Each structure stands twice: as C-alpha cells, then as structure tokens.
Amino acid sequence: MQLIASTLLALTLFAAPWAFAGDTLDRVVKNKTLVVGMSGDQPPMNMRNRQGELMGFDVDLAKALANAMHADLELSPMPFGDLTKALADGNVDMVLSGMAITAERSRSASFVGPYMMSGKSILATRTALAEIASGGIAATDVKLAALKNSTSASFVVEAAPNATLVEVANYEEAIEMVTSGEVAGMVADAPVCQLQVLRNPDAGLVTLDKPLTIEPFGVAVSSDDPEFLNLVRNYLRAYEGTGLLTKLRQKWLENSSWVAALP
C-alpha cells in the first residue's frame, strides 16, 4: 500500500531498541507477528467486505503499525465486549477498534492517541427520533440498543436514566431491532449511525445532525509493557506528522466510495 510505504522511512527515526523489550514487544519481535484485536463490525473503523475480509480505518492503521515493526499482521476479530479481556489475557498485542479512551478502561490498559475524535449519536426512524428529541435524551423512557460493554451502553445508563438499555453483540442485531420497532433507537458512534442511514435508504432511518458527545479513539495496549507503549506512541506521532492519519481520515470519513465494497 503506497500510503503506508511512504511513511516507513520517516519511522526509522522513531524506532526504539529491542534490547529491553517487555512481554508484548518481545512476543511481537520473536514471532514476527502483530496480533490486533477488533470487533470487525464498526464501520467505517472496521468491517468486512463482500469477500469476508476486514477493511476500514483501524485495519489500515494496523497494517501500518505491523509494517513499521517488520511484522506480519494477524487480525483477531471478536465481540467488542471481549476485546479488553483479550488484551489483559495476552491473546492480542493491542486493540484497534474505535475504542474510546475512558478513565475506567485506563485502569486495565494504556492508551496511545487519540488517533481520531468521534461522539455518540442516535440511529432511529424519523418518528422515533422526534419523540426522543422532544423531551430530551435525559427524559426519554424508550428502549435503546447499544453494544455490550461499550461507551455507548454507558452513555445510555448515565445520560438516559429513564430509558431501558438493550445490550447487543453487534450493530446488525441493533439495526434489526430498530427497523422492526423492538427498540426506539440505537446509540452508537456518529460515523456508524451516518453509514447505516446511507446503507439503508429505504428503511426510513435518520440520525442526529450533531453528536451528543465528543470522544477520543485510542490504541489500547498492555500497561505492563512501557517499551511497547512507547514504540506505538512514537509511531502514531510519526503518522500524524507525516500526514498518514490525515489521509486515512479522508479515505474513510470523507470519501464514501468504499461503501460499494460492503455486502
């Protein structure tokens, strides 16, 4: 990928010595493989194309990091709610999955970034969204779906105490509930809601013009390996400085041509 290759020369200036590698860094160097956990169902951050292959902002960033580390990339898709535990158990080397940096998550993992800013929004039918908006999110008493163990689920609990939270394993399940009327709406990151409106033009789905919150997305790594944390931090700084992150944002957030590759 030319976009990634063009930044590799600059990154050599930031590479840390491997001599005092911690557990994660030692594993990556020894196995020559970087294992990255992601949900695989958070477009445009990560998703599957018609061939079942993972693609998206997070996938491209993971490829860049693996290339910079001279390692093969192994993507490990799993439900979003299982990602933090997989990192803690050492089953993945990092989590790149549109994961918001929060104080609670920072108790069990370290975050590098942010590499992107997002915010919470609501996907619903026009009638349902008008009903939710009429009294404000804090007063609504409808059912709202959100990914299990996500900041979206936490947002519903905190910002909509009168609503009934329905936790789901993936967005497809939530969208089916919204279109069938089983729930009034789905709370998710704004790009996810915007994409579902585009992908379901005949379903009558709408989303908010402006997100309800602002959230920073970060790369989650083990808190027990400061050398690996420092390495990833240096690479991410280099990507920002060389313009790679800007190009990825343009590719996945400003250009919708990739939507044609989805099932």
Side-chain angles (χ1 to χ4, degrees):
M1 180 178 173
Q2 186 176 0
L3 182 61
I4 294 172
S6 63
T7 66
L8 293 182
L9 180 59
L11 292 178
T12 59
L13 299 175
F14 293 86
W18 307 114
F20 302 101
D23 290 343
T24 306
L25 187 51
D26 185 64
R27 184 169 62 239
V28 172
V29 174
K30 180 180 179 180
N31 298 332
K32 291 183 171 53
T33 301
L34 177 68
V35 183
V36 178
M38 61 180 59
S39 69
D41 61 2
Q42 293 173 267
M45 305 311 294
N46 54 81
M47 61 217 136
R48 293 187 182 276
N49 59 23
R50 289 196 187 94
Q51 291 72 43
E53 300 167 335
L54 288 166
M55 65 181 225
F57 190 117
D58 291 331
V59 177
D60 280 357
L61 183 53
K63 289 177 181 177
L65 289 168
N67 283 339
M69 296 178 192
H70 304 290
D72 293 328
L73 175 62
E74 179 182 328
L75 297 176
S76 181
M78 65 187 73
F80 187 88
D82 296 341
L83 288 169
T84 302
K85 186 176 186 304
L87 180 65
D89 291 345
N91 295 328
V92 298
D93 301 318
M94 66 171 59
V95 171
L96 246 174
S97 194
M99 183 170 281
I101 303 172
T102 67
E104 183 63 28
R105 286 175 179 154
S106 296
R107 296 175 64 188
S108 57
S110 293
F111 284 89
V112 181
Y115 62 89
M116 198 182 105
M117 301 298 292
S118 184
K120 296 304 174 196
S121 192
I122 301 174
L123 179 75
T125 62
R126 190 173 300 278
T127 301
L129 190 61
E131 179 183 348
I132 294 170
S134 63
I137 186 70
T140 189
D141 59 358
V142 298
K143 290 183 179 180
L144 295 173
L147 282 184
K148 183 179 180 181
N149 292 340
S150 68
T151 53
S152 297
S154 299
F155 175 80
V156 173
V157 173
E158 296 170 5
N162 297 320
T164 300
L165 171 64
V166 179
E167 292 190 291
V168 296
N170 53 63
Y171 289 125
E172 286 73 18
E173 183 180 352
I175 293 166
E176 184 176 342
M177 288 181 175
V178 172
T179 54
S180 68
E182 187 175 346
V183 299
M186 175 185 79
V187 176
D189 295 313
V192 173
C193 294
Q194 293 164 355
L195 173 64
Q196 295 308 325
V197 171
L198 292 176
R199 294 198 67 195
N200 299 276
D202 299 324
L205 298 176
V206 294
T207 190
L208 299 173
D209 293 331
K210 297 181 180 179
L212 298 166
T213 63
I214 299 297
E215 293 185 341
F217 286 171
V219 183
V221 299
S222 172
S223 299
D224 298 327
D225 194 339
E227 291 84 5
F228 187 66
L229 170 66
N230 184 61
L231 183 71
V232 177
R233 179 183 290 124
N234 285 334
Y235 283 146
L236 209 61
R237 286 174 179 167
Y239 292 152
E240 190 70 72
T242 58
L244 176 62
L245 290 182
T246 298
K247 292 176 181 177
L248 290 182
R249 293 179 191 121
Q250 292 171 342
K251 175 181 178 180
W252 295 105
L253 301 178
E254 299 175 18
N255 187 340
S256 62
S257 61
W258 55 266
V259 175
L262 297 178

